[in-house]
Amino acid sequence: WPSATVSGGSERSYDITTLFGDSSYSIRVSAMNAAGSAISDPLVISTAEAGPTAPPASLSSSSVTPSSFSIQWERVPCIHRNGYITGYSGTGEWEHAMIDVNGPDVLTTDISGLVSDTMYLVQVAGVNGQGTGVYRDLTATTPQTVYLNFGGMNLPTNGFGEHQSTGQLH
């Protein structure tokens, strides 16, 4: 663990910063002079759990279609969790735009029911016992639905020129 040196006999306090939330620490104080040194018994302190102070490490999209996409993220960095991450929460600009992921190990979700050729904003944050942390933003754009005309029938494709219908054309 880190240590700090305070010179001079008049110092009676020292501020300890950069502690993790929801953690216990054992602190000892040693004193030195010309006659020798002595060390105190340990003082155990505990910090309170606080909401996460940083967003998930990354956020990306994949499997983008005209009506859906998947999002993936990495865990909130350990130093910023301030307690046990119980899941992830998110919002976005689509119908029923809440993302609720229970469990710290689920790092992906699918978003569907979207409109083609539209840009969507997605936000995801870690959640612990004290609340929701800082959100990370992502924009994803669904591709335009392309229609092929076969003898007066407009048949949708997946936006990349592949036919989605299973019926036969004569």
Side-chain angles (χ1 to χ4, degrees), residues 67-69 94-95 110-114:
S67 63
S68 67
F69 56 84
W94 63 89
E95 188 175 348
D110 296 326
I111 299 171
S112 60
L114 306 176

Side-chain angles (χ1 to χ4, degrees), residues 92-142:
E93 300 172 328
W94 63 89
E95 188 175 348
H96 310 295
M98 295 304 295
I99 300 168
D100 227 355
V101 177
N102 293 318
D105 298 324
V106 180
L107 303 173
T108 184
T109 193
D110 296 326
I111 299 171
S112 60
L114 306 176
V115 176
S116 69
D117 196 25
T118 304
M119 181 185 293
Y120 291 93
L121 171 66
V122 179
Q123 298 177 306
V124 176
V127 178
N128 69 16
Q130 290 299 307
T132 302
V134 179
Y135 285 94
R136 181 170 298 278
D137 295 348
L138 167 75
T139 57
T141 301
T142 54

Side-chain angles (χ1 to χ4, degrees), residues 1-81:
W1 263 118
S3 63
T5 302
V6 178
S7 298
S10 64
E11 292 294 326
R12 300 284 185 250
S13 67
Y14 183 79
D15 289 332
I16 301 173
T17 60
T18 67
L19 300 177
F20 295 109
D22 194 32
S23 300
S24 292
Y25 295 89
S26 178
I27 300 171
R28 291 176 173 244
V29 176
S30 64
M32 294 181 276
N33 63 21
S37 65
I39 190 163
S40 71
D41 290 332
L43 171 66
V44 177
I45 62 163
S46 295
T47 58
E49 185 176 39
T53 55
S58 69
L59 179 59
S60 61
S61 63
S62 64
S63 304
V64 181
T65 73
S67 63
S68 67
F69 56 84
S70 297
I71 58 171
Q72 307 70 231
W73 56 90
E74 293 181 22
R75 290 176 172 79
V76 173
C78 190
I79 192 170
H80 297 288
R81 293 179 190 167

